[in-house]
Amino acid sequence: MSLLAPALLAGLLAIAIPVVLHLVQRERKQVVAFPSLMFLRKIPYQSVRRRVIRHWPLLLLRALVLALLAVAFARPFLPGADAAAGGTGDREVAILLDRSASMAYGDHFQRAREAARSVVEGLRPGDRASLVLFASDVEIAVRQGGERSALLAAIEAARPAALATRYGPAIQAGAGLLESSPMPRREVVLISDFQGTGWDRGQGVKVAPGIALTTMPVGEARVENAAVVDLAFAREAADQSGSERVTVTARVANRGSTRIDNRPIALEADGRQLDAARVSAEPGTTASVSFSPLTLPANGLVRVVARLTPDRLPFDDTFHAVLASREKLPVLVVETAAGQTPFLARALAVSSEPRFEARFLAAAQATPAEIERAAVVVLNDTPPPAGAAGRALAAAVDRGTGLLLALGERSSWSEAAPDLLPGTLGEIVDRREGRGATIGHVERSHPVFEVFGTPRSGDLAAARVFRFRELAAPAGVLARFDDGAVAVAERRVGRGRVLVWTSTLDGYWNDLVLKPVFVPLLHQAIKYLAGHVQRPAWHVAGEAASPSMLAAGAEGGKAASRTRTGQVALSPSGARLPVPGEGSRQAFVPAEQGFYEIRAAAGEGADGERSVLAVNVDPAESNLARLDPAELVTAVRQGPGVAAASEARQLSPEDRERRQALWWYLLALAVLALGAEALLAGRFSRRRPVPAAAEVAERSAAAAQESQRLAS
Amino acid sequence: MEQTQAMAGARFVDPKVLARLNSLELVARTVVDGFINGLHRAPHLGFSLDFAEHRGYEPGDDLRRVDWRLYARTDRFYVKQFEADSNANLVVVLDVSASMRFGSRGLPKIDYGRYLAASLLYFSHQQRDRVGLVTFDRRIVSYVPPSAKHLDFALFALDRAEAGREGELAAPLLTATERLRRRGIVVVVSDLYEEPDRVAAAVRPLRFRGHDVIVFHLLDPAERDFPFDEASSFEDLESGERLPVVPEALRAEYQELVRRHIEALGRLLLDSRVDYALLDTSVPLDFALFRYLAARERLRRVR
C-alpha cells in the first residue's frame, strides 16, 4: 500500500492531544477548599499516579479517530495488483539460496534448505519458480520451472561452497529472471544468514518495479567462531645446500562472542604434521602462533596447512599456503672487460626476492648459450656482441629476455647490429661545467619508477650526471635530464623489453651509483625486464587467478613466468578443469578450498612442470555479524528496469479511482469510532450520587438509639 | 412513654434547622428544653449539694456553717464541709481556626461548634454551674472566665466568634490551663487536625490540673467519607496550600487514614482519662448533650 500524500501522516501527531487533554485538562478544574491536607499528604501520592489514565477505552477510541482521519487524508491507495506479492493471480518466484561458506555454520544450511522447501511447497498450480544458488558467484540451478520435484531435488543437492557472500549480483540475477515474466505476481525470496560482509551499501542494486523482495533469515544472533585468517613466513638465509628455513606464524581470529581457550592448532607440510600448539583469544581479537621452523628443499614447493580444531564453521579452520624457495633470476652482464664496474656487481649481489644470479663476461666471451640462459642481459658500456652471439641476443629478446643498456664512451651501435636500441645513438654530451645535469622528468607511473613515486621514497634528482650519450628516441622516453635530453628510454621488441640508461654505471660519468636510489632502481629495472611477478602464497576462492599465479613450475627462470596454453587444473576434489591461457578472455576462478594442481594437459608436451595453487575461503567470510534484512530490502531500489510487462497494463481511470477509494472507508470508520466515543464518554462522565438525606436520617436514628440507651 | 415519644421530635432537631434560628440563646434553649423535657425525671440534677466531711471550728469560720446538731450531741463545734462547691465550673474551649469554616451540607463546623457550646453553657447554667468560654486558633481569641453570671457574655463571645486563622492546640490549651485555676469541667470542641499524640499531649495538662476533660471531635461528613468525584486542586483552608488530587484513586486510603486517626485519638485520650466523642455535623446536638451528661455522671461516680 502506498500513500498519495504521505506528508499528511504528520497528522498522526494529533494522537497526543487526547492524552494531553486527559492529563492536563482534568487538573485545571475547580479548586476545592478542604479543612486540612494532613491526610492527603500522608498518602504516598506520586505525580505518576496522578497521571494515570482512567478511561483507556475512551482514550484509545479518540486516538483511533485521529489516526483514521490522518491516514484517510494521506490518501492511501493500492498499487497495481501486479506489484503486490499478496495480490491474486499466478505467481513467479525466484528463490535465492545462499550457499556461501558462512552457511556451513552449524545447521544454517539445513535450515535454509527447509525454508526453500517451504517456499516450493507453498506454490500453487500455475505458479512458477526458479532456484538460484549464490555466493560470490550466481548459479541458476532451476530456471522458471513449474516442476516441484525438480526444485526439491535441486535444493536437496545444494551444498555450501568455500565462497564469499555477495548479495548484489544474486538479487540482480533473481530479479532478471522475473523481469520478463508474464505472471501478475513476481517475488524474489532471499534465503540467507544475512552476513553483513556480503552487502555493499554503495552498490545500488535495482530491481524492476512490481517485483517484491522477501527475506527469510536463518542465522543466529550469537555465534562462536574462530578462524585462521593469515599465515606469515619468516625466511632464514639459505644454508650451503641451498635449502632455506622458514618460520610459519598463523594468525587466529576469534570472531565469536565467547573466549577461545587453548584451542589446538597444528601445522602440516605436504600432509605431515610438523608442529602443534594451542591458542587462546578474547572475543573480537586475534592471536598469533609461531611454529618451529621448517626446511624448504631447494627449487621445491611445500604445501603448508594450518589446521585449527574444527568448530561450528569448519571452512575457516584450515588455511592453505604454498611455500616455494626463493626464485633465482639469471642476469648476464656483458662488459668491455669483465669486472670493470664493482658497483654493478655489488648491487646485484644484495638481492633477496628474487635472488639475482649475476654473471659478468667480457664482450668477447658472451656465447649464445650464455645469452639463452639469462633472463636479463646487461650491456654495460659496450657495443652489442657481434656474430652468433648478437643474433642469439636479438632472438632471446624477441622471446622475452630483457635487455638493459648502459651507454658510455665505448658504446656504439653499428648498422649491422640487431635493431634493439630505442632510438638513434648520438654524441657524448659534456655537462662538466657548472653542477652537471640532473634527472628532471621521470614517468613515475612506469613500473621501474613507481616505487619512487611516494614522498621520501628516494630522490632521483640527487644524482649528478656530467656526461651522457645523446639519444634521439622518438617514443618510449621514461626520464629526461634537466635540459630535456633523454636519460632513460624503453622499447619493446617482440615479447622482450629493452631499457637504455644514457650514461654509465661506473661512477666516472655520474655519481648515480653512489646515491641511495641506485640499488632499488637497478633491482626494479632488472625485475621489470625479466617480467618477474611475486607469487602470492595463496589465493582467495571465488576470485580470478592471475596468469602469473598459475605459472607452471617453481624452478624459476623466464620460462616459468609465462602461462602455457593447454593447462589443466586438478581441483582438491579431484575434478579436472581447463585453465584458460594467457590472452584468453576467460579467467580461471578456483571455487574449492585446498590445493589446485596446475599441470600441462595430456599431449601438450607433458614436460612434467607442475604448479600448485593454494586456495582459501575469503577471511571476511569468518565474520558472521548479521545485516538487518530490512536494511537490505530498503536499499534495493525499484529502478526503472524492464517495465514492458507492467506498461502493458495501463490502468483505466475508474480502476485507479477504485484503488484510491480506501480513504472513504477510513473516514466512515472514523465517524463510527466518533459515535462510539460519544456514547462511552457520556457513560463515563455521569456523576455518582452523593449521599444525602437518607444518610442523615440513618445517623439520626443511630443517635436516637444511643440516647435511648443512655437515658434508660 | 407516650410523653417521651411525643417529645422525641422536639429533641432531635437537625442542626440545619437550628441554623435558621438567629439567636444562640434561642438555639440553646430549644435544644436544652427539649432535652430536659424529654427525660422522665432528672436524676442527674443537683449533684453539687453533696456533703463531704466535718472539720473542727476555727476562729473566723462562718457561724452559719457550724453543725449545731452535732454540737448538741458532742458539745464541740464542728463546721460542715460540702463537696468543693455545690456547683461546678464548665468551660467550653472552642476551636475557631480556619479549618472549622468547612461545611459540605450548608452548616459549617464552626456553627455546629457554636450551637454545641451554647447548648452546653445554657444547660449547665440551668444547673447553676458556673460557665465560661475560651475560643482559640493558634492562641486564645476570647476568654470569658467561668462565673454564674457569665452566660450572656459567653453567648455574646460565641456569637462573635469567627473562624479565620491557622490553628494549633498545644499553646492555647496550655494558656487556658494556666488561667483556669479552679477545677471544673472543660469541654474542648475542635476538629483536631493534629497528630493524635500531639492532641493527647495538648489536652493532658488540663487533666493534670484536675479538670474533667471532654473532647468533642467535630467532623463534617465529607471529611470522613471523602465523596468528591472530580479530580481537582484541594486547597488547605488554613495554609492555603494546594494539592492536585484524583479523589477516586485516594478515597479508600483517605478513609482508612481518618478511621485510624479517630481510633488513635480515642485510645490515647482514654489512656489520659479524657472523654472523647466524635461528632458528625449531621448528628443532632442532643447526642452531644447525652455524651456530656453520661460523662458527667460517670465522673461523679468515680469521685
Side-chain angles (χ1 to χ4, degrees), chain B residues 109-252:
Chain B
K109 285 190 284 181
I110 181 70
D111 286 350
Y112 188 91
R114 283 198 299 205
Y115 301 157
L116 174 62
S119 303
L120 286 173
L121 294 174
Y122 184 79
F123 180 62
S124 271
H125 184 73
Q126 296 285 77
Q127 307 295 316
R128 294 182 298 280
D129 287 344
R130 298 189 187 91
V131 292
L133 177 74
V134 177
T135 58
F136 72 96
D137 40 42
R138 59 169 180 264
R139 57 173 184 264
I140 303 285
V141 176
S142 65
Y143 173 61
V144 179
S147 162
K149 298 172 183 171
H150 279 179
L151 177 64
D152 292 341
F153 294 119
L155 292 179
F156 179 69
L158 269 180
D159 205 30
R160 293 187 56 189
E162 276 185 10
R165 292 186 298 182
E166 261 186 90
E168 190 191 330
L169 271 179
L173 285 191
L174 193 63
T175 315
T177 308
E178 286 166 359
R179 292 193 187 178
L180 301 172
R181 294 183 179 278
R182 193 165 185 173
R183 290 192 299 173
I185 302 169
V186 177
V187 175
V188 179
V189 181
S190 168
D191 52 7
L192 301 182
Y193 270 113
E194 286 198 30
E195 294 301 327
D197 49 348
R198 294 188 60 183
V199 173
V203 172
R204 226 172 273 140
L206 284 167
R207 186 74 199 118
F208 294 157
R209 275 280 175 141
H211 300 292
D212 295 322
V213 184
I214 304 170
V215 173
F216 284 115
H217 186 183
L218 284 195
L219 279 184
D220 189 273
E223 288 176 87
R224 292 180 66 178
D225 303 335
F226 207 60
F228 303 97
D229 199 27
E230 289 293 311
S232 321
S233 273
F234 276 59
E235 183 179 358
D236 193 315
L237 278 175
E238 297 197 355
S239 65
E241 185 190 349
R242 285 189 185 186
L243 195 66
V245 169
V246 180
E248 229 175 8
L250 306 180
R251 185 173 297 124

Side-chain angles (χ1 to χ4, degrees), chain A residues 7 17-18 79 90 165 223 250 266 501 521 552 565 568 578 587 607:
Chain A
I17 293 175
D90 289 338
T165 316
V223 290
W501 164 241
L521 182 63
T565 52
V568 290
D607 53 3

Side-chain angles (χ1 to χ4, degrees), chain A residues 199-219:
Chain A
W199 179 243
D200 179 5
R201 287 174 175 79
Q203 71 188 59
V205 178
K206 287 183 185 174
V207 299
I211 295 177
L213 176 60
T214 310
T215 55
M216 297 179 82
V218 295

Side-chain angles (χ1 to χ4, degrees), chain A residues 444-530:
Chain A
R444 293 194 187 274
S445 60
H446 193 270
V448 174
F449 297 107
E450 69 182 358
V451 295
F452 307 107
T454 52
R456 301 177 195 279
S457 55
D459 183 12
L460 290 168
R464 302 275 167 230
V465 180
F466 302 105
R467 280 185 165 188
F468 57 89
R469 292 292 293 265
E470 198 176 4
L471 184 73
V477 178
L478 302 181
R480 291 181 187 276
F481 293 116
D482 50 6
D483 60 356
V486 176
V488 180
E490 182 195 13
R491 180 182 173 193
R492 293 189 77 99
V493 179
R495 292 168 64 183
R497 300 171 179 133
V498 180
L499 268 185
V500 177
W501 164 241
T502 55
S503 190
T504 61
L505 295 173
D506 55 8
Y508 292 116
W509 277 18
N510 57 63
D511 61 357
L512 176 67
V513 292
L514 303 177
K515 298 298 174 188
V517 292
F518 173 62
V519 175
L521 182 63
L522 182 69
H523 285 191
Q524 283 298 113
I526 300 276
K527 281 193 271 188
Y528 171 70
L529 290 171

